[in-house]
Amino acid sequence: QVQLVESGGGLVQPGGSLRLSCAASGRIFRINALGWYRQAPGKQRELVAIIPSDGRTNYADSVKGRFTISRDNAKNTVSLEMGSLKPEDTAVYYCYAAVSRLTYGTDDYWGQGTQVTVSS
């Protein structure tokens, strides 16, 4: 099993910044992709940013130019730097990891979620 523990959420004013972090632990053979999703009240969970093992990042159009995802393969961590935050960024943010099995296949893991609220 793999555990993902997030930190860094909170309340911020519009235009402000926050940094989310996530650490993976447990029986990890290889992490293929790390990413962040979010879910706002009444909406479906959506991809925010993802970074595969090759390092090529992918962002939702709504956050391009404002958010930056990064990973530390040695520490099995992923971070999300969020800037120029808007009220519509308010959501529960979930860390995601795609972890290869030792034999064959990949398992998806999720963190418990951290609340980000953008409000004046």
Side-chain angles (χ1 to χ4, degrees), residues 62-84:
S62 59
V63 307
K64 283 181 181 176
R66 301 188 297 122
F67 291 11
T68 301
I69 189 171
S70 60
R71 65 186 282 176
D72 185 329
N73 293 326
K75 297 181 180 180
N76 290 331
T77 59
V78 61
S79 297
L80 185 69
E81 294 278 0
M82 304 185 293
S84 302

Side-chain angles (χ1 to χ4, degrees), residues 10-12 38-41 43 46 67 85-93 114-119:
L11 173 65
V12 63
R38 68 186 180 188
Q39 188 167 19
K43 295 187 177 181
E46 63 176 1
F67 291 11
L85 284 162
K86 305 174 182 179
E88 50 263 44
D89 294 317
T90 296
V92 177
Y93 283 70
T114 184
Q115 177 70 46
V116 172
T117 302
V118 184
S119 175

Side-chain angles (χ1 to χ4, degrees), residues 21-118:
S21 297
C22 175
S25 62
R27 301 184 65 172
I28 299 172
F29 172 54
R30 184 179 64 245
I31 298 179
N32 291 336
L34 287 165
W36 292 92
Y37 286 70
R38 68 186 180 188
Q39 188 167 19
K43 295 187 177 181
Q44 290 189 329
R45 189 174 298 188
E46 63 176 1
L47 173 69
V48 176
I50 196 162
I51 180 167
S53 55
D54 62 8
R56 289 186 290 183
T57 56
N58 187 33
Y59 296 92
D61 288 342
S62 59
V63 307
K64 283 181 181 176
R66 301 188 297 122
F67 291 11
T68 301
I69 189 171
S70 60
R71 65 186 282 176
D72 185 329
N73 293 326
K75 297 181 180 180
N76 290 331
T77 59
V78 61
S79 297
L80 185 69
E81 294 278 0
M82 304 185 293
S84 302
L85 284 162
K86 305 174 182 179
E88 50 263 44
D89 294 317
T90 296
V92 177
Y93 283 70
Y94 296 91
C95 179
Y96 164 80
V99 181
S100 289
R101 298 174 185 171
L102 184 60
T103 53
Y104 177 79
T106 302
D107 293 311
D108 295 333
Y109 293 92
W110 297 91
Q112 78 282 1
T114 184
Q115 177 70 46
V116 172
T117 302
V118 184

